[in-house]
């Protein structure tokens, strides 16, 4: 009789272990599914009319970026203001190390945003952007194509660029309240 109780005990422990492992794997897969792009997809959360409005807002953000670069590049801008402008430029992007095109070199190599800012400071560049076209919306970004005109010493240079625009939910604090807010970020700049 003792042997049967021992075997029954072993079988119960084995069954509990199996159930525990099953639940562990189920919850881990469920937790991973909660973070899939489908749950944060732009198309799943917004109508196409809303997305178009956000895309228009993103083009304004691109224009702001180049206006800030113009101010940063100007020798007449105070150093205090340049410090604030750099902070503002970095806030437009998801990272200071995002890759952008180095329009100051003939190779059009990619460099970090931080390197570009260092290269153009006090060099009297001016910038204008035109002819924006937005790509099809992906999970959490789209690509905007535009024409960039760079002026230095009254010599214009024209470029066609693609810029990734990230659009994703970010948790922000409003006093003691935290809320998830969809936010636009400028991303990497590439050549067509």
């Amino acid at each position: 009789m003792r042997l049967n109780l021992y075997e029954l005990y072993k079988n119960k422990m084995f069954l509990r272990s199996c159930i525990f492992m099953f639940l562990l794997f189920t919850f881990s897969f469920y937790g991973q599914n909660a973070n899939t792009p489908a749950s944060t997809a732009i198309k799943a959360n917004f109508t196409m009319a809303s997305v178009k409005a956000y895309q228009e807002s993103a083009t304004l953000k691109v224009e702001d970026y180049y206006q800030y670069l113009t101010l940063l590049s100007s020798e007449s801008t105070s150093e205090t203001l340049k410090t604030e402008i750099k902070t503002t430029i970095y806030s437009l992007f998801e990272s200071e190390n995002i890759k952008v095109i180095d329009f100051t070199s003939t190779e059009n190599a990619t460099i970090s945003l931080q390197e570009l800012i260092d290269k153009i400071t006090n060099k009297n560049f001016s910038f204008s952007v035109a002819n924006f076209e937005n790509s099809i919306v992906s999970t959490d970004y789209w690509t905007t194509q535009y024409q960039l005109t760079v002026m230095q010493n009254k010599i214009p240079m024209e470029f066609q660029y693609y810029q990734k625009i990230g659009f994703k939910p970010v948790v922000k604090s409003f006093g003691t309240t935290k809320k998830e807010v969809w936010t636009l970020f400028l991303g990497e700049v590439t050549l067509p």
Side-chain angles (χ1 to χ4, degrees):
M1 188 81 161
R2 231 180 187 162
L3 187 59
N4 288 341
L5 287 175
Y6 178 73
E7 285 179 30
L8 184 61
Y9 176 74
K10 275 185 15 182
N11 287 341
K12 262 188 171 179
M13 289 304 291
F14 176 74
L15 184 60
R16 285 182 183 167
S17 297
C18 288
I19 291 171
F20 175 76
M21 294 302 286
F22 174 76
L23 291 175
L24 179 68
F25 286 121
T26 302
F27 289 128
S28 71
F29 287 132
Y30 178 77
Q32 289 174 3
N33 286 342
N35 294 324
T36 59
S39 65
T40 59
I42 296 170
K43 290 179 185 177
N45 289 288
F46 297 95
T47 65
M48 279 314 289
S50 295
V51 171
K52 292 278 186 208
Y54 280 110
Q55 286 178 327
E56 287 177 27
S57 178
T59 60
L60 295 174
K61 206 169 241 204
V62 171
E63 289 174 347
D64 288 347
Y65 163 59
Y66 286 107
Q67 288 175 359
Y68 289 132
L69 287 182
T70 299
L71 287 170
L72 188 64
S73 178
S74 173
E75 289 178 331
S76 63
T77 304
S78 74
E79 290 305 312
T80 305
L81 183 55
K82 283 182 184 179
T83 302
E84 289 182 34
I85 291 169
K86 286 179 186 179
T87 302
T88 303
I89 289 172
Y90 292 140
S91 73
L92 295 173
F93 288 81
E94 200 164 6
S95 166
E96 293 177 13
N97 297 317
I98 210 88
K99 296 296 182 187
V100 296
I101 302 294
D102 181 7
F103 51 79
T104 65
S105 78
T106 56
E107 292 115 30
N108 286 320
T110 56
I111 59 175
S112 73
L113 175 62
Q114 192 171 20
E115 290 172 310
L116 179 69
I117 285 174
D118 292 342
K119 280 184 99 168
I120 68 162
T121 301
N122 297 322
K123 302 288 192 232
N124 290 318
F125 284 100
S126 65
F127 306 90
S128 64
V129 286
N131 303 325
F132 286 94
E133 288 182 36
N134 293 308
S135 71
I136 296 172
V137 175
S138 183
T139 304
D140 63 351
Y141 74 92
W142 62 83
T143 304
T144 299
Q145 181 180 357
Y146 56 89
Q147 179 182 339
L148 173 66
T149 304
V150 180
M151 293 275 290
Q152 186 184 33
N153 302 324
K154 298 183 181 181
I155 301 170
M157 298 175 285
E158 289 193 359
F159 303 94
Q160 282 295 123
Y161 287 158
Y162 286 113
Q163 184 149 14
K164 191 173 179 179
I165 309 292
F167 187 50
K168 51 185 90 175
V170 175
V171 176
K172 293 195 174 187
S173 296
F174 302 95
T176 59
T177 306
K178 291 186 179 191
K179 186 172 180 175
E180 189 175 81
V181 178
W182 282 78
T183 307
L184 289 168
F185 295 104
L186 299 182
E188 65 184 10
V189 179
T190 60
L191 293 170

